[in-house]
Amino acid sequence: MLTLANLGYVMSDVASDGFMVWIAHREPIQKRGKTQTLIYSANKLRQVFINLLILVGFSGLMINCPGYQPDPAIPCTTDPRIMSRTEFAPNHLLDWCYRTCLDATFDWDISIPDFALIIAFINISSIPFYCRLEEERASKEHVSHFLQSFWRQLQRRAAWQVILYSMISHITFGVVNAAKVPANYVWLHLHMAQNQVMVLLEKLLFFIGLNIVRKYALHVSWQNSFYLVPS
C-alpha cells in the first residue's frame, strides 16, 4: 500500500513540476521566479506541518520504549530481541514492560494506521482543487519529433551543464554512512522529539530563505550566490 502511495507521489510530483515550469515560462521577466519560490515555500510549509505531526504523534511511549505495554493485565513479552533493547529487563523481569523509558517525551502516541488516515484525508481534500485546474489540450506529437526536440534541448549549454552537475553532485555528495542515523540514537542518546525539532528548524530556515529570495533576490546571479555559501 505504501509502495503504491510512493508511486503515486512520484507521478504527481513530476507532473506538478512540469506544470510549474510551464507557468514560470509565462511570467514576465521582472517577476520570473515568484511562482517557483511560492510553490516551494508552500511545499516546505506543508513539510513543517507533517513534521509537527510526527513530533507530537511519534514521541510517545509505544513508539520509543521497546516492548512497552500500557495494559497491566497483559504480561510482558519474553522475546530476547525486544528485551535486549530496554534497560529495565535485566533488573525487572516481571514488570519491565510497564515502566516509562527516558526516550519518550509524551504519554500518548498515534498509530501508523492513524497516521496513514491523516495523510489520506489531506490527499483526498486536495482533489476538489485538482478538479478546478484548467489545462489547454495540446496536439498529439510523434515520438520521433519529441526525441529530436529532446536531443536539441540536451545540446544546449544551459541544459547539459546543469544535468552534468546534477549527476556528479549526486554521486559525490550523495555518499552517506549507513550508521550515521542509528549512531545518533546510540551514542548521543538522541530522542525522536529532539530529532524532529532539528528537522523542523531545517524546514523553517528553508522556508524563510525561499521567501527572502522571492522578495529580494530574484535577479541575483545564482553563480555569484555560491560565493556566499562558504561564508
Side-chain angles (χ1 to χ4, degrees), residues 134-149:
E134 296 183 5
E135 184 177 3
E136 297 178 1
R137 184 177 295 274
S139 58
K140 186 177 180 180
E141 186 177 2
H142 293 288
V143 177
S144 59
H145 293 167
F146 173 78
L147 293 177
Q148 290 175 3
S149 175

Side-chain angles (χ1 to χ4, degrees), residues 21 49 58 151 170 231:
V21 173
F49 168 75
F58 291 158
W151 175 246
H170 277 79
S231 61

Side-chain angles (χ1 to χ4, degrees), residues 2 21 43 72 77 96 112 120 122-123 126 128-129 173 199 206:
L2 292 177
V21 173
N43 183 20
T77 180
W96 64 268
I112 298 298
I122 295 173
N123 291 332
S126 65
F129 299 98
F173 302 152
V199 174
F206 207 125

Side-chain angles (χ1 to χ4, degrees), residues 16-40:
S16 61
D17 282 345
F19 190 65
M20 178 190 67
V21 173
W22 183 85
I23 295 177
H25 284 174
R26 285 154 179 78
E27 282 185 308
I29 193 64
Q30 297 83 4
K31 298 182 178 180
R32 183 161 296 179
K34 281 186 173 293
T35 299
Q36 290 170 282
T37 50
L38 176 62
I39 292 174
Y40 281 113

Side-chain angles (χ1 to χ4, degrees), residues 82-131:
I82 298 178
M83 296 178 67
S84 63
R85 295 168 54 199
T86 176
E87 68 272 19
F88 301 123
N91 300 322
H92 307 276
L93 293 177
L94 298 179
D95 61 347
W96 64 268
C97 62
Y98 311 123
R99 298 176 179 270
T100 303
C101 68
L102 297 177
D103 292 338
T105 305
F106 305 119
D107 295 332
W108 64 84
D109 295 275
I110 62 172
S111 64
I112 298 298
D114 290 338
F115 180 74
L117 284 174
I118 294 173
I119 301 300
F121 173 77
I122 295 173
N123 291 332
I124 293 173
S125 64
S126 65
I127 293 179
F129 299 98
Y130 169 78
C131 295

